[in-house]
Amino acid sequence: MADITLDAKGLACPMPIVKMTKAVKDLSSGDTITVLADDPGFEPDVQAWAEAQGHSLVSLNEEGGVYTAVIKIA
Amino acid sequence: MSEASAEKKATIVVFSGSMDKVMGAFIIATTAAAMGIKTTMFFTFWGLSALKKGGPSATCKRNWMQKMLGWMLPKSAASLPLSQLNMGGMGAGMMKQIMAQKKIASLPELIEAAQDLDVRMIACQMSMDAMGICREELLDNVEVAGAATYVGEASDAQINLVIS
């Protein structure tokens, strides 16, 4: 089981989603990715992205304007 | 929906050659592709400027009117004007500066992201012919095709947008 981290801080829509898509390309089912982002649009968008791809959003937290999303690959 | 069209698809017609509108088209295209949707963009008329590599090809045959068009139209995606408040390019320059400050991806960066995500980009052959734009003047991984290719893609897509 791989667990990778992607730092997408400083990127605006749609780049966090684009970078995330590229980052999960080599992951397999059951792997997890942790994404850090400070784009305010990331909060709703990461949920929509995970839903569209069938991945599960394990957690989504915000601290000091930085969102941390943990996604489990379907 | 038929079995064959179970795959999610999106198409975007890019009619405009304005920086703001083309950016909108690429933001939606890259996002759709990132969400697992097979995405096709069809560039026609003014929209073709967004696919230009920059600089005219010496071997491209053009009549005098087409040459004039070539001089007046943007040379590449990096030099598209704003649809409003362009003010001879000053507005576009300021908008690029603001967007860079806000860490918003530039149009050339969005085009690169779209190519990385395998967004299919089609240049309208008839518009190229009319405006005197040759294949070698467009980005390498752009296809050249006609309206039927676009309609074929659009007919079983769930999202079909026109950006004009």
Side-chain angles (χ1 to χ4, degrees):
Chain A
M1 294 280 142
D3 183 9
I4 63 167
T5 300
L6 171 72
D7 186 354
K9 293 197 298 288
L11 298 175
C13 172
M15 295 318 275
I17 296 292
V18 168
K19 297 261 184 226
M20 220 159 70
T21 304
K22 281 199 238 170
V24 303
K25 247 183 190 155
D26 299 324
L27 296 183
S28 28
S29 182
D31 291 346
T32 58
I33 179 169
T34 303
V35 186
L36 306 174
D38 55 7
D39 172 26
F42 183 73
E43 191 185 13
D45 280 11
V46 68
Q47 298 175 56
W49 178 85
E51 197 184 331
Q53 304 274 51
H55 303 321
S56 48
L57 186 61
V58 180
S59 65
L60 175 60
N61 301 303
E62 187 261 346
E63 208 187 307
V66 177
Y67 295 95
T68 304
V70 179
I71 297 139
K72 195 170 184 177
I73 303 303
Chain B
M1 212 195 300
S2 68
E3 287 296 312
S5 62
E7 182 185 36
K8 281 194 186 168
K9 284 178 157 192
T11 75
I12 304 175
V13 174
V14 184
F15 205 100
S16 170
S18 299
M19 180 190 113
D20 42 355
K21 297 187 183 196
V22 176
M23 276 188 82
F26 271 98
I27 288 169
I28 295 171
T30 50
T31 304
M35 290 173 83
I37 299 170
K38 188 171 174 271
T39 307
T40 301
M41 300 175 88
F42 187 70
F43 295 82
T44 187
F45 230 84
W46 312 117
L48 286 173
S49 294
L51 299 181
K52 285 192 200 163
K53 263 194 267 197
S57 148
T59 52
C60 187
K61 285 200 169 66
R62 278 177 273 253
N63 66 29
W64 68 272
M65 285 182 287
Q66 290 173 323
K67 278 180 192 155
M68 275 180 63
L69 251 182
W71 289 327
M72 290 184 286
L73 286 173
K75 303 288 175 279
S76 74
S79 55
L80 300 185
L82 279 181
S83 67
Q84 293 182 38
L85 304 175
N86 189 52
M87 300 177 286
M90 216 169 74
M94 283 166 75
M95 187 59 79
K96 281 182 203 168
Q97 225 176 315
I98 295 169
M99 286 178 162
Q101 284 167 0
K102 294 275 176 192
K103 306 271 172 62
I104 295 168
S106 68
L107 182 54
E109 285 168 343
L110 287 168
I111 294 174
E112 202 187 313
Q115 289 176 325
D116 277 358
L117 292 165
D118 297 323
V119 170
R120 188 178 176 199
M121 293 187 223
I122 303 173
C124 168
Q125 189 277 324
M126 185 273 274
S127 297
M128 286 170 64
D129 194 39
M131 299 172 96
I133 299 169
C134 292
R135 174 67 193 87
E136 65 267 26
E137 293 170 317
L138 300 180
L139 299 173
D140 293 335
N141 29 14
V142 163
E143 284 172 57
V144 176
T149 306
Y150 168 73
V151 173
E153 281 295 323
S155 64
D156 60 352
Q158 296 81 9
I159 303 170
N160 291 310
L161 307 173
V162 179
I163 311 281
S164 61

